[in-house]
Structure formats: C-alpha cells, structure tokens
Amino acid sequence: MSARYGMVIDLDRCTGCGSCMIACAADNNVPVLPKATARTGLTPLLVRKVSNALEGTARREAFIPIMCMHCEHETPCVTVCPQQAVEVDKATGIVMQMPQRCLGCRYCMTACPYHARYFNWWDPAWPAGMEKSLNPGVAVRMRGVVEKCNMCHARLHSAQEKAAALGKREIDPADYVPACVEACPTAAIRFGNLADKNDPVSQEAHSPNAFRFLARLGTEPKLYYKSSEAWVRALAESASGPVPENKSSEKKLAEVQHG
Amino acid sequence: MKLSRPTLIFAFGLAVALLAGWVAFPRVLYSKKHQPVEFRHQTHAEKSGIADCAECHAIREDGSFAGIPAMEKCASCHSDKIGTSPAEATLVDDYIKPGHETPWLVYSRQPANVWFSHAIHVKRAGLACTECHSTDGQSDQLRVYQVNRISGYSRDIWGHSISRLRRAPHEGMKMSDCEDCHRRHHVDAGCLGCHQ
Amino acid sequence: MKVTRRDLLFWSAGAAAGLIVSPVPWKVLDDTSIWSQNWPWIPQPARGPVDVKQSSCTLCPNGCSVRVRMAAGWPVGISGVATNPISRGALCPLGFGAHQLNWHPQRLRTVRHGLSTSTWDAARAAFAKACSEGPVMVVDGYPGRAASHVLETFAQKHGGQYRVIVGPETRALAPYETMSGVPASALGYDLEHPQTIVSFGAPLLDGWGAPGRFTRLWADRAASSTDPQLRLIQVDPTLSRTAARAWQWIPVKAGSEAALAAGVARVLLEERLVPARGPMPPMTLAEAAAQTGLTTDSIRDLARTIAARTPAVAIANDDNPSIAALNVILGAVGTRGGIVRRSKAAKPYISADAPLPSLRAVLIDSSVPWDFTPQTDAEIFRFAAWDGGPTDGGPRNGAASNASSKPADWLLPAPGFLEELTDVPTAPALPVETYAVAVNLVKSPHQTHSTAGFVNSIDPALPTTETIIHTRCADLFREHSGTLHAQETTPVAKLASAQKLEEQLWKGAVWVGSELAEPHRSANFRCELKEWPTAAASSRSENWLAAWPAPVLPPLAAKLYQDSSLREPPARRNS
C-alpha cells in the first residue's frame, strides 16, 4: 500500500519565527549568496506574512509557511517539464525534483501556482571550510537549475536504509520527519501519511478549519492548512470572500485514503 | 576491379579514423593510477580467515554502508606490522602510524546525486556481493584504477568494453545498467528511489 | 604523386565516416555531459559515516539541548532534543544554522594587539603584568558556569572585581531583588500555571527564554482557541509577532508601560478586584490614559480582564520596577503562577553597567554581548570567537564611538560553537533548577583558548573548568534529588554512582531539580512594596535576530532577511 505523505500546517500556531526556513536550508545544503535578494534568493521553504488589511487595533497578522504542495493531480510542474526532471513518486506521493536533469528553462516555475520553485542564479559557494558543514545525503546543485522542497528525501532514504538493515519492509514513521516539522517550536507543521486513515494528520486534514490554497485549480495539493480565523481561511482562494466548499477535493482525498 | 584514387583515399581516411577511434581512443581516454597500498583480498581471506565480505565491508546499524573500511578497521589488526610484505609496511608507516586515512581509489564511485543503498540491495533484495563485484573479493591484487580523463570517474562505470557490447553481466554501473536490472526484477524505484 | 585538395577532402570524408562509427563522438558526448553535471568547483559534502551526538547549545544562557550530526569530525546538522523538558526539542532559528559558525569568515584566527597580530604568549605576559600592577575587572556574560566560578575566584584572589551582564529575562527580576533581598539569580517565572499573562513588551513568542518552553506551552493551551486556558495579553507599541498571535493586544505609546502598570494597579485596588496588598499608585487613571494613549475605560477593562482569570502575572522586558509593583498587587510574587524562588541559594551579582572604579585592566569573556564596551581607560583584554569589525582594524561593529570608551586593546580568539567543554547552569527565568554539560564535539580550526583556560595559565593554582564540573556532578548525586532526562527519565536517587550521573550528562542528558509542573517554591520569598516606584521608561526588547549577543549571525540567518522579507535586517551586522 503506497503512502501519500502530506502535511497539516496550523496557522494559529505559526509565530513566523523562521526556524523552519533555516532548518530546511541547512538540511538541504541551500547556500546563502551575497547577491541574492528576496526575488532571487533560494528559499525552498518560505514563510510569508499576511494581514487582514486593516489598520490600528483591528489589524491582524498571520504567518504562512509555503513550500512545494506536492500536487497529486495533473501536477503542473511535471506536466510542463521538457526534461522529465520531476515526477510524482508512486510509492510516496512526493513530487521529486532532480536538479541534475534540469536544463534551466524555468517553465515549471511559471507553471507552479504556488511560486514554490526557485532557480539557482549563481553557483553555490560557501566561505573556506564551511563546505565541511554540508549535509551528506543531499547533492549540491549547480547554477542554472531549479530546485524545490523534496520533502527531505535524504531523511526518507535514511529511514529506508535503517529499516532494510533491520530486515523490515516498512519504515518507522519516527525515523522520517522532515526538517521543518522537527524544527517548528510550536509544532505548527505536522507531517503524516494522508493515505492512512489512522494517521492523525490524515484525520486533521478533514477538520472543519482545514483548507488548501487554490483548491479550485484541482491540483490536489497534499499540504493542508488550518486556521480558526476566518480571514486567514479566506486567503485560500482570494483576498476577499469566503472559501467555497470544494467537494471534489474531498472526494479525491477519500479515494486516496480508501485505495 | 581497380579502385579509383578517391575511393582509396576515402578508405585510407576511414581506416585511420577507425583505428584512432577503436584502438587509440580507449587507451588515451583513460589514465592509470595505482592504489596507495597493494592490498590483496586473497591473502586476507586465506591467512586471516576473513571469509565474509561483510567483515570489513559492513552495513552499519543505521543502514549505511561502510564502503571501503576506514583506517580504524585495518588498524584493528595492523596497528603494527604483522607480516613482511612491503605493501603492509607502506600501510603501517605511511597511514596507520601517522593517523592518515588511506586515499583508496574507489572503482564504483558515483556522482553525489546518486543514492545507492547497500542495505536495501543486500539485505532486502538479497543480492550477493558477487552479482555486482564479481571476483573482486578474491583478487590477488587490486586492479589498476583507470580513470576517465573527461568525466573523472572510473572505467568500471562504463564498463571495460568501449562499445558496451559483449559486457560481462556485472560490468557497468551507469544509470541504464541499474534500470536494466530493476526492469528484470520488476522493481520500480522511481526517481526518488535512486537520486538524492 | 602530388597531394591535392581533393585528396584532402576525400580523406576527411573517410575520416568523418569512420569517426561516426567509432565510439569517439558518442563517448565524448556522454563523458562531457557527466563532467558538466559535476563541475569540480561545486563543493561536495563529506562521504562517510554520520555519527549522532548530543550536547547543549552554548550560544546563549538558555542552553537548549542539541542533537548534532557529525561527518568527518565536523557538525553537518543541528536539531533539538525532545527529551529535554525545558526546550522540548525546540531551538531558536539561529540554533539551526549554528553548525556553520565554526567556519564563519569573521572567525578570530589570531591574537590581535591593537591593529597588528600578536601571540598568546605576548597576551599572557601583558595580562600577567597588568594583574601585578593594579586591579583587574572580569566581565562575564554568562554567569553561573563552572568557567564563571574560575573567573570569579581569579578576580577575588587578585583583589579585582567580578561583574556580569545578564539578559533581559534576568534583568526584569532585579526589582524583586530590591524588594525582597533575594538575589535575582535565584528567581524565575512559573509560567506553567497562570491563566493570564500580561507581557509588557517582552517578546514571549519571539526570543524570550528557551524557545521551546513558552512557545510550546502557548501553542498547546492558547493558540487555536477564542477562550483559551491561557490568556496572553501583549502590551506593545507596535504589532510585534507576539502581539499578532496574542489573545489581546494593548497598543500603548512607546515607553509608557510603567504608566499602564500604575493605571491597572489603581483600578485593581479601587474596585477591590484584589486584596489590598500594596499602596495606591500616585498616578491617576486620567494621567495613565494620557501617557499610554488608551482611554480610561480600556484601562479599566484591562484590569477587570486580568483579575477575572487568576493566577495572573505580569512580565516586564527590563528592570522596570512598576511592573514588579503590579505583580505584588496581583499577588503574583512567591505564589503559584507567578514569580517564584528556585530552591537553591544564589548570590547577588554586580552588573557591569554599574559605575566602574579605577582599573588597570578589564578582562571580557566571549559570552559578553559585542556591543558592551566598558567606559574606562584600562587595558582591555577581550575574548571573542568572531570579530565584528573589518579586517583592516577599522571601527569595530557596534562599539561605542565616544571618546571615553574604545575597542579592545587585545582581541583573543575564543572557542566557537561546541568547541570547548563547559557546563550549562540553570537557564534564566526558569522556576526550577537545571544542569547540563556541553561537551566539545568539535576541534577548533584555530588556536583558541577559553577565558577560564587563560586565567588558569596565568594562575595554575586556580581550579579548572573541568574539575569544577566534576565537583558539581558529585554534588548533584550526593543531594539525591531531581531527575535525569535522557532517552529515559531516571530519578537521581535511583542512580548507582556519581560516575553514572556524569556519564549521562556527558552524553547530553539534562538534570532537572523538580518538574516544571510542580516547581519547588521556597516559602522564603516575599516582596515588600512600601511605596509605588517612580516611573521609568522601558526599552524595547528585541527578538532573536536583533538581540543576538555575538557580532556575527549564523550565515543561514540571511534566509530570513536577505533571501526573503520575513524579518527586518538586523541593524548592526557584517554578514
């Protein structure tokens, strides 16, 4: 039975500290380059600040971590890639990007509705000696290729190796925890197998305050968000107005869960 | 029938190119390097009773592969010279005593974006070491390390035959070789399964 | 026979045909594509085994437990440790990038004397000479460590001064020391039990205390609910991160926190919402409203809200005595859910900010914030792992530029992250005692010495950091109290020997004196409030990025302000 790894991100708990962004960059050997700006920087996980657009004491602000949504259906980036440099992994549902195969056309960056893909404008470089702090298990990319969140595939690989060494077929879920999930001080980012009915994350994805961004596009993202504040939920489809109930996505999730 | 001059010259050019391509090129493409220590698998198997590859080339508890063992492993027996060979002398004097890791040349080294898990192939799939590494474990001396001058990787990755025809079953470690074996065994690893 | 151009053409055609059916073009194509995907100048991670070790972060006095993945002897990844009952697996954003600090380009590599490089021997000689010529002051930014004890003993033995710089959490406890006589270092906040917390500008969710402690607590009890178990009321001039997520935000004019505290206290006493535990503040409600920019009604509502769900406690972000006075009125001193006294005795510290006597030399530990510069003409010996200034010796980043202060005369390379054996005394603001050992997992890439090690070499009769740690472990075992938190939780009383305790601590376990859920509260802690303190302006407390004491940030922090606009860039950093 294949897994469908996904997340539920509780926006009531996100304080916008940025620990997840740094843990992600550290685990995935993402460089910090002096010429980078907010437009050209590499942030496979990016926390955005949003507000209810009011001023004074009525103003509310929230923080939204955005990374690859690992779209399940008609995945836009997979559809457009001329190099087959990205695919939806059958066994896990992870949308796996292979930067070494990428030729840098950036069509996928245009196709991604969530702006979750980033281009390596420059070769990565670290100050002398700092390359010793690079994480083994994640290949360093070169300039000219696109990269994005791969759901910490290096940690999945370690979990699979450990299970194999112990003679097991399935990984121990405690061994596969993405860096952002592990780093979050308020446990706002929760990770689990959406195809497993008994997984608490899978159950939380069904809760009344859970929503997905741009669900109307039908890409079936596997990252769910949750907020008790209506103005935050309203951001899912547009900046104003309520979120329309998307029955087809509920049905799709049910199909995935029941096989 | 007498061949015309142009035909002969054409044939001459053809012959030169074929010779250059099939004979000279493979020789020139690879440069030869020697391993830092003349290690003998055969000696270790016979004299020290090390029968199992995994005694030195172990899969660790966390599932990672020890690869070519670290100097610590060699030092567990060779902290001082226990034989008379000049190779051992080199090992002990140049590497073990000063505490430097021996810079072994790895025949099967893959680029950084390749993830090959010995634990999964050996323990889960039950592949024998010889399936990919044939008789290397019984060799009397380590093969000369032939490195491709352009790509920087060992000749073992492409395989010895420059045309890739008439390859031995274990020869070749390119992506297509992995794919062939996976196809034969009906195991779909996807991209995520082999890349990092 | 003459070779003609036609010959050449036919020969080339033959050669081209031959080349195409030879391996040359195809193999060269394949090999160059492999080469082009693996350019030699792209840095590669180490190959080899990855070991996982545990230690404590030493970058700030909270000392969160860290799990460090090591490859080829260097840290390649940091994460938190869930079994630490204080940090609960969390780290601040900077902790996750700390493993790159060992290689920060601004690492202090050599001893510097003024603008030129010097040697350790020269530095030792100069310091020994200074000690013999006059009084020396030692400044410690992380008091309570074994190394601190070495420094303090040295200062006392040689007729000098030992002074400390403490963080905002401890500074905010100073008024209670004045009111009760109990040293601020013996006090903490019992945040696990109040139902209402009024924070006067303290960034509780963004850089206050150990990251996991309050943020997790708040997330579990308050985050998603409109009627939470824990009401967090944030008093802040702007919508800070804590204010944005708080249950209620009270926007006041900057610097008017004392006035608000006085106004709230007045309402609590006038409306008899609390027993009369102290004097009426002299400020009227109208004056408080004018100073804060709030209406009198909103101050009344606030007081009623606070009194509605008790225990209630107020948290200041600095030593503003008005907020301490409010806590006395609220009954949040020496009680459950308020300011409590930890069980062990502690001694009062002298702040390095206090006026200085005439000195011959000042020795500054690497834990002291970089922007601290003593106002003195004495010779300054400063330990630092990273240099905040440009390498040509120009003005140091953050150093005060007035005439009576100057950057250090001697800059001495200190060990960096996880490069020295040290211990982690009880973190500031905790209501329980804790202890851990931060093992040096990493060998410093440069020739460094710790401040304590330096004074040991000047005066070998002093105890060393390591011997003091051994003694402390032995003392902990002898007292038979508390629990050791590692993979399992073991009461100390059940341990076989002091050595077992020490072994566990060396492997990254954490000792806790009593559980956070039931802190031991010494009855010997009462505050006397005879008259309402005169109002003092509060300084804005800073979040993690801005309050970082070292002159450099972990390089990855730039993801938060350079590669994105999540945070404001810090005011005074070299990258």
Side-chain angles (χ1 to χ4, degrees), chain C residues 394-406:
Chain C
R396 302 250 165 249
N397 216 7
S401 55
N402 60 45
S404 64
S405 71
K406 56 173 171 166

Side-chain angles (χ1 to χ4, degrees), chain B residues 40-54:
Chain B
R40 290 169 191 235
H41 274 106
Q42 184 74 306
T43 314
H44 284 76
E46 278 176 5
K47 289 200 182 165
S48 331
I50 300 175
D52 189 14
C53 309

Side-chain angles (χ1 to χ4, degrees), chain B residues 5 9 17 110 112 148 174, chain C residues 1 7 15 30-31 44 47:
Chain B
R5 181 187 160 88
I9 289 177
Q110 295 279 350
N148 184 314
K174 289 185 69 63
Chain C
M1 192 131 48
D7 291 338
D30 189 80
D31 289 339
Q44 300 293 330
R47 292 188 188 233

Side-chain angles (χ1 to χ4, degrees), chain B residues 5-6 9-10 12-14 16-18 21-22 25 29-30 60 109-112 148 150-151 153 158 162 174, chain C residues 1-2 6-7 10-11 13-15 17-19 21-24 27-28 30-32 34-35 38 44 47 49:
Chain B
R5 181 187 160 88
I9 289 177
F10 181 91
F12 176 44
L14 189 74
V16 167
L18 286 174
W22 286 99
F25 176 66
L29 183 61
Y30 296 103
R60 300 189 196 96
R109 169 143 299 182
Q110 295 279 350
N148 184 314
I150 304 174
S151 72
Y153 287 91
W158 179 266
I162 199 81
K174 289 185 69 63
Chain C
M1 192 131 48
K2 225 173 44 152
R6 205 159 171 248
D7 291 338
F10 272 93
W11 188 92
L19 217 58
V21 298
S22 80
V24 174
K27 186 81 174 79
V28 168
D30 189 80
D31 289 339
T32 46
I34 294 174
W35 173 83
N38 297 282
Q44 300 293 330
R47 292 188 188 233

Side-chain angles (χ1 to χ4, degrees), chain A:
Chain A
M1 163 71 179
S2 64
R4 280 291 168 274
Y5 289 114
M7 293 180 178
V8 172
I9 301 179
D10 191 340
L11 300 179
D12 293 324
R13 290 184 171 220
C14 179
T15 59
C17 68
S19 292
C20 55
M21 284 179 69
I22 297 189
C24 166
D27 213 69
N28 291 291
N29 296 335
V30 182
V32 172
L33 295 168
K35 290 195 277 195
T37 62
R39 237 182 49 123
T40 54
L42 281 168
T43 48
L45 170 52
L46 173 64
V47 179
R48 292 178 190 265
K49 185 157 97 163
V50 294
S51 78
N52 63 355
L54 298 173
E55 294 303 325
T57 47
R59 186 175 178 80
R60 299 284 304 160
E61 286 179 354
F63 297 92
I64 307 188
I66 299 280
M67 59 264 219
C68 171
M69 303 280 171
H70 296 276
C71 302
E72 182 71 24
H73 178 65
E74 286 181 8
T75 316
C77 55
V78 174
T79 314
V80 302
C81 180
Q83 283 286 97
Q84 288 186 296
V86 59
E87 75 161 14
V88 182
D89 186 59
K90 290 197 192 70
T92 57
I94 294 173
V95 177
M96 173 73 179
Q97 168 82 7
M98 269 124 339
Q100 290 75 18
R101 210 172 157 98
C102 172
L103 52 73
C105 70
R106 295 185 283 135
Y107 197 172
C108 58
M109 289 174 69
T110 323
C112 177
Y114 305 104
H115 296 286
R117 290 172 149 269
Y118 298 87
F119 187 68
N120 281 274
W121 292 101
W122 302 278
D123 270 327
W126 282 267
M130 212 183 272
E131 71 280 348
K132 294 191 178 68
S133 70
L134 290 175
N135 184 15
V138 178
V140 179
R141 284 72 68 193
M142 56 202 273
R143 71 172 185 268
V145 298
V146 172
E147 65 180 62
K148 67 164 192 73
C149 159
N150 275 338
M151 210 73 106
C152 280
H153 61 276
R155 294 180 176 218
L156 174 62
H157 286 168
S158 302
Q160 288 172 336
E161 268 198 325
K162 191 161 155 212
L166 295 169
K168 300 196 187 138
R169 278 217 73 87
E170 300 293 326
I171 61 163
D172 179 357
D175 286 337
Y176 177 34
V177 179
C180 54
V181 179
E182 193 182 46
C184 181
T186 54
I189 308 183
R190 284 163 237 159
F191 175 77
N193 181 0
L194 295 174
D196 177 4
K197 270 184 300 184
N198 300 322
D199 191 312
V201 168
S202 170
Q203 289 161 1
E204 233 186 314
H206 276 307
S207 68
N209 286 334
F211 65 93
R212 291 181 293 184
F213 282 101
L214 299 175
R216 68 173 188 275
L217 295 178
T219 55
E220 302 300 325
K222 292 201 278 295
L223 257 64
Y224 287 76
Y225 291 78
K226 204 173 123 179
S227 174
S228 61
E229 296 181 89
W231 71 271
V232 175
R233 293 196 300 272
L235 292 169
E237 296 295 335
S238 66
S240 57
V243 179
E245 258 220 307
N246 193 335
K247 298 240 169 16
S248 68
S249 55
E250 286 290 300
K251 187 169 165 230
K252 202 73 189 188
L253 179 64
E255 275 171 32
V256 165
Q257 286 185 329
H258 301 299

Side-chain angles (χ1 to χ4, degrees), chain C residues 130-137 158-161 357-362 378:
Chain C
C131 289
S132 65
E133 286 174 1
V136 166
M137 176 171 84
H158 294 266
Q161 299 237 347
S358 156
L359 294 163
R360 170 63 180 81
V362 179

